[in-house]
Amino acid sequence: MSLFTTELRRLAKRRFIRYMALAGLLVLLAVAVGTALSNQKVGPEQIAAAEAAAEQNYQESLKWHEEHVRECERVKTSGTAQEKEDFPADCAEFMPPSRDDFRAEWFMPPTFDFRNKFGEFIFAFAAILALIAFVVGASFVGAEWTTGGMMNLLLWRPQRLKVLLTKAGALLTGLAGFTVLAAVPWTAGYWGIATYRGITEGMTSGVWQSFALAGLRGVVLVLMAGLIGFAVASLGRHTAMALGAALGVMVVGQFGLGMVLAMAEVRFFQAWLLPTYAIAWMERKVTLTDYNSCDYSASAGCLPKTMDIVWQDAGVLFAVAVVLMLGAAMWAMRRRDIAG
């Protein structure tokens, strides 16, 4: 049996990895069920109820306006000087509400629009599985170091880098297969939600292609997260090393750094935060806005300055991170004492 096949079987049989995969699927199921329960199909009954709610709110606002005008007239006739200061000189200045300001669509129940909303759930799918992939990648190699399995494996296959890269290849293969297999029922489930509790109108080949490309970027995000977890755990020779590093990056390097940069009023401080690039990667572009600046335009006046971060920027950043981390893990694997 080849080394790659052995590592793939080891990945599939590890109990912790199975539990993590099951946990990821349960979270995805909970998200889908929550979406289904919080949306409903819109029909004549819902439209009529929304129209009635809009009319009721209009009548209540009209009644409140009339009461306010009567109170104003009473104060102007017999009120004290202090009370009169609280109202305008002419009570007719109070404009009555317009029926056009109470639109029925504001009172419609939420309904799932597949074309406009499914992209958000592709991002949620990728984010959840990327977190699972990071932990799985860290555990896959970290447990080998902790239990001594790595040393035993190197007695059978003494090529250090080949062993490490084969493990990484098996990890990527397993993650890719799991992600694609999970994506099929995820998409079908949300199509069912849109069919029975929403709308599926406006779906064209271009929209499906856009969703497919977003899904492909999601798969890449999952693979990068798993590979980074694998590399960090290999460097520290322990799963906890990767988890601790991830916690430190998120708490200190993201929340702490974000607070410091915001208090220092650094322009476009979100450009220094990793979540911004994850969003840009999945949604193709993120536009940051500096509301404390003015970009003057003769036609539009003073507009705040903006900065665009596109998915190519995020891709370069993530690629560099993966190459550096995996390169460091390979260097450590080759240079350090395996038994140490």
Side-chain angles (χ1 to χ4, degrees):
M1 184 178 295
S2 69
L3 178 61
F4 177 80
T5 304
T6 302
E7 292 303 322
L8 203 57
R9 288 171 59 107
R10 194 194 308 273
L11 176 70
K13 290 182 175 296
R14 191 173 294 278
R15 186 179 303 174
F16 177 78
I17 293 177
R18 289 184 175 182
Y19 289 158
M20 289 301 301
L22 178 60
L25 293 177
L26 291 177
V27 172
L28 292 175
L29 178 62
V31 172
V33 171
T35 304
L37 294 178
S38 60
N39 289 273
Q40 60 178 287
K41 196 80 171 179
V42 173
E45 294 182 1
Q46 288 76 17
I47 295 175
E51 291 284 358
E55 179 64 25
Q56 180 182 358
N57 273 261
Y58 168 68
Q59 294 298 333
E60 291 176 354
S61 297
L62 188 61
K63 180 180 179 181
W64 179 87
H65 168 75
E66 293 172 350
E67 292 176 352
H68 202 55
V69 170
R70 285 195 297 268
E71 177 67 13
C72 175
E73 293 173 347
R74 183 194 66 78
V75 169
K76 292 303 178 183
T77 301
S78 59
T80 64
Q82 180 63 38
E83 288 178 322
K84 292 179 179 180
E85 291 180 358
D86 296 334
F87 291 92
D90 185 2
C91 294
E93 293 183 13
F94 290 114
M95 297 297 295
S98 172
R99 181 63 178 85
D100 294 336
D101 293 333
F102 297 84
R103 302 177 182 176
E105 54 262 31
W106 296 350
F107 302 91
M108 295 286 284
T111 186
F112 186 74
D113 186 342
F114 191 87
R115 175 190 176 101
N116 295 324
K117 294 184 179 180
F118 183 60
E120 302 174 7
F121 291 94
I122 295 178
F123 187 12
F125 173 86
I128 293 170
L129 289 194
L131 178 61
I132 298 297
F134 182 89
V135 178
V136 167
S139 171
F140 184 48
V141 68
E144 292 290 313
W145 286 111
T146 304
T147 61
M150 182 66 78
M151 284 76 79
N152 294 332
L153 179 59
L154 288 174
L155 291 177
W156 175 49
R157 286 292 182 89
Q159 301 98 333
R160 297 185 180 190
L161 294 186
K162 182 178 180 181
V163 168
L164 184 67
L165 292 178
T166 302
K167 280 184 173 291
L171 172 68
L172 294 180
T173 302
L175 289 177
F178 178 79
T179 304
V180 171
L181 290 177
V184 173
W186 179 259
T187 304
Y190 272 90
W191 180 258
I193 293 172
T195 301
Y196 295 103
R197 304 188 71 85
I199 57 177
T200 58
E201 299 174 357
M203 293 302 299
T204 63
S205 59
V207 176
W208 282 112
Q209 182 180 7
S210 178
F211 285 161
L213 291 175
L216 180 60
R217 291 195 299 273
V219 173
V220 174
L221 183 66
V222 171
L223 297 182
M224 289 190 297
L227 200 53
I228 290 176
F230 177 89
V232 176
S234 181
L235 278 170
R237 299 189 176 186
H238 204 288
T239 305
M241 172 66 181
L243 301 183
L247 183 62
V249 168
M250 292 305 299
V251 174
V252 178
Q254 296 302 301
F255 296 111
L257 179 61
M259 291 177 61
V260 170
L261 294 177
M263 289 187 294
E265 297 184 354
V266 175
R267 177 177 293 182
F268 307 126
F269 71 90
Q270 298 93 335
W272 295 92
L273 306 180
L274 286 176
T276 301
Y277 292 88
I279 297 173
W281 173 256
M282 291 302 302
E283 298 185 357
R284 294 186 294 181
K285 184 174 74 172
V286 170
T287 300
L288 307 179
T289 304
D290 180 15
Y291 292 100
N292 296 322
S293 63
C294 175
D295 192 358
Y296 183 76
S297 171
S299 59
C302 189
L303 298 175
K305 292 182 180 296
T306 60
M307 174 183 177
D308 290 337
I309 297 178
V310 296
W311 68 272
Q312 293 92 335
D313 300 327
V316 171
L317 176 65
F318 292 150
V320 170
V322 169
V323 169
L324 289 178
M325 296 304 301
L326 187 59
M330 293 172 63
W331 178 86
M333 183 73 168
R334 185 171 182 176
R335 299 285 297 179
R336 291 165 60 182
D337 181 12
I338 296 301

